[in-house]
């Protein structure tokens, strides 16, 4: 299946504190796609995840799925931010991994980066819980949510679920 972003650039920039001067380039696009795969797909399960992607691609998102997307946006945005902070902090160049400095800008320290990532992760996890509860409270609206994904699927009770955070 073709990978489709669940979130638009304007929605992403409206949620997380990245400059509106940043454009969605290949590294950020890949960060969005990775975040969807690592954090959102296990919650939604593959059938519902693929249904959302198909509806977005075909511009046929149902009202119920739009409500679900509205709950997904902040969760996904903060996971993107969590992962993108590292990608934006250091770049891989011919010389190796480098921190770039502009004429008037300096990079933040590793301690500051760690703090920002911790804050982003806390927000992402809080919105993740909201997403899981939304699906549990509205499971009749999302029949594709029921699948056989074992411990990583949102059909497993919250207290028994194991997520692998990267």
């Amino acid at each position: 299946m073709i990978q489709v972003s669940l979130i638009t650039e304007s929605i992403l920039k409206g949620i997380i504190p990245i400059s509106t001067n940043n454009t969605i380039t290949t590294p950020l696009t890949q960060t969005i796609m990775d975040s969807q795969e690592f954090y959102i797909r296990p919650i939604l399960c593959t059938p519902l995840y693929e249904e959302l992607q198909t509806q977005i691609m075909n511009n046929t998102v149902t009202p119920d799925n739009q409500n679900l997307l509205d709950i997904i946006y902040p969760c996904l945005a903060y996971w993107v931010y969590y992962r993108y902070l590292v990608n934006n902090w250091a770049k891989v160049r011919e010389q190796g991994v480098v921190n770039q400095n502009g004429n008037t800008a300096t990079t933040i320290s590793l301690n500051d980066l760690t703090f920002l990532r911790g804050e982003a992760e806390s927000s992402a996890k809080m919105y993740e819980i909201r997403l899981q509860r939304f699906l549990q409270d509205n499971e009749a609206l999302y029949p594709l949510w029921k699948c056989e994904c074992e411990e990583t699927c949102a059909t497993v009770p919250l207290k028994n679920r194991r997520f692998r955070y990267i």
Side-chain angles (χ1 to χ4, degrees):
M1 175 173 198
I2 296 173
Q3 292 293 307
V4 176
S5 178
L6 299 179
I7 194 166
T8 66
E9 179 176 356
S10 61
I11 293 170
L12 182 69
K13 289 179 179 180
I15 296 172
I16 60 174
I18 61 172
S19 171
T20 55
N21 293 335
N22 281 350
T23 56
I24 301 292
T25 59
T26 301
L28 185 52
T29 300
Q30 190 57 50
T31 303
I32 292 168
M33 301 313 291
D34 289 347
S35 298
Q36 286 179 193
E37 286 292 319
F38 293 148
Y39 305 112
I40 303 302
R41 186 181 197 137
I43 296 170
L44 299 180
C45 298
T46 299
L48 181 55
Y49 179 76
E50 289 180 351
E51 178 184 73
L52 285 174
Q53 287 195 322
T54 300
Q55 288 183 6
I56 290 168
M57 186 172 52
N58 295 329
N59 200 24
T60 58
V61 178
T62 64
D64 288 337
N65 280 347
Q66 185 57 59
N67 290 338
L68 176 57
L69 285 168
D70 291 341
I71 301 295
I72 290 170
Y73 293 150
C75 179
L76 178 56
Y78 276 99
W79 280 126
V80 168
Y81 187 51
Y82 171 78
R83 295 178 63 88
Y84 191 66
L85 281 168
V86 172
N87 296 341
N88 206 33
W89 182 66
K91 305 286 186 211
V92 178
R93 302 283 186 234
E94 297 82 28
Q95 304 87 357
V97 180
V98 298
N99 287 331
Q100 286 187 291
N101 289 326
N103 291 338
T104 59
T106 59
T107 58
I108 63 172
S109 70
L110 183 57
N111 284 342
D112 291 339
L113 177 65
T114 301
F115 172 77
L116 288 173
R117 288 191 83 222
E119 290 297 305
E121 183 180 32
S122 293
S123 294
K125 287 181 178 181
M126 185 266 305
Y127 284 115
E128 194 173 86
I129 290 168
R130 285 187 184 175
L131 171 58
Q132 293 164 0
R133 290 202 174 123
F134 175 82
L135 285 167
Q136 288 173 340
D137 292 345
N138 296 283
E139 65 183 297
L141 299 175
Y142 303 102
L144 294 178
W145 180 54
K146 296 293 184 186
C147 65
E148 306 299 324
C149 298
E150 300 177 13
E151 292 93 14
T152 61
C153 181
T155 59
V156 176
L158 283 172
K159 64 181 180 178
N160 298 332
R161 194 167 316 130
R162 293 181 303 175
F163 287 98
R164 285 170 264 143
Y165 294 107
I166 296 173

